[in-house]
Amino acid sequence: GFTMLVHGGVDDYGGYLNDIWIFDILKLKWSPLLYRGKFKLPQVAFHSACLIIKSNSIIHHNQLNVYRYPEIGGKQRGSRPKLEGVYVFGGIDREGNYQNTLWCIRIGSKPVEILNLKTFGKPPNPRMSCGMCYLNELNFLVIHGGKNDLEERNEILNDIMLLDL
């Protein structure tokens, strides 16, 4: 839609943040995200995020925003994820710990719900600054590369991890 989410990061004093802000692109207006959930938001920076929804055709719908998810008619192609929303992965915290937590900001209601997701199988190694995208036709979340200075050779990671949603 016409909304951008900003979560966490590092402030001017080196402090790690865990707030979430919404930027309305049409109104050029910032506001804090109204959310609920038992999961405490991490104070991280250099994490990755990706929008995962049932139909790519809804992305440009004029009624789509964080709090309102419009219904669209017609057959939707591809598999359907169990949870729609903004998926967030990885990052680094103020103590220098690399993360491999996956969580979801469920869009479409006010307040939104934030969930810490439980996955199965071997998770990706903790990392920051990785690429992340959603393959709608296969219903896969893809995580690629990133960096973890605690790895054996202090290198940029060059792996691809898939999560079947």
Side-chain angles (χ1 to χ4, degrees):
F2 300 101
T3 306
M4 178 176 72
L5 290 179
V6 176
H7 167 262
V10 180
D11 67 16
D12 291 341
Y13 307 102
Y16 282 67
L17 307 170
N18 69 342
D19 52 348
I20 302 179
W21 288 84
I22 303 168
F23 182 66
D24 184 317
I25 296 169
L26 298 178
K27 297 177 183 174
L28 299 177
K29 179 181 176 187
W30 288 99
S31 57
L33 178 72
L34 301 174
Y35 64 89
R36 64 183 166 86
K38 297 176 183 174
F39 176 60
K40 185 177 181 201
L41 293 173
Q43 293 178 315
V44 294
F46 310 108
H47 46 302
S48 299
C50 179
L51 177 64
I52 296 178
I53 55 178
K54 292 177 185 174
S55 172
N56 285 333
S57 64
I58 203 166
I59 290 174
H60 301 292
H61 195 287
N62 64 355
Q63 295 297 311
L64 175 65
N65 71 42
V66 175
Y67 302 121
R68 184 176 44 233
Y69 192 89
E71 293 296 324
I72 58 171
K75 184 179 177 186
Q76 297 177 357
R77 298 179 62 197
S79 301
R80 296 189 176 195
K82 290 181 180 178
L83 295 173
E84 293 181 294
V86 178
Y87 281 58
V88 182
F89 177 81
I92 187 170
D93 66 19
R94 75 173 76 204
E95 287 83 29
N97 299 312
Y98 291 84
Q99 306 294 309
N100 67 346
T101 304
L102 179 67
W103 46 285
C104 179
I105 303 169
R106 293 189 68 186
I107 63 172
S109 63
K110 191 173 189 176
V112 300
E113 184 176 16
I114 299 180
L115 303 168
N116 186 3
L117 301 179
K118 180 180 178 184
T119 60
F120 301 94
K122 185 180 184 295
N125 291 341
R127 64 192 67 210
M128 63 182 242
S129 302
C130 62
M132 189 163 83
C133 67
Y134 175 58
L135 298 177
N136 188 34
E137 294 296 321
L138 299 174
N139 198 30
F140 278 8
L141 177 66
V142 180
I143 295 172
H144 173 257
K147 184 169 174 45
N148 184 330
D149 291 334
L150 303 177
E151 291 289 319
E152 292 177 15
R153 297 189 314 201
N154 193 16
E155 294 181 345
I156 302 295
L157 301 171
N158 190 25
D159 57 352
I160 297 175
M161 301 295 289
L162 303 174
L163 177 63
D164 185 345
L165 297 175

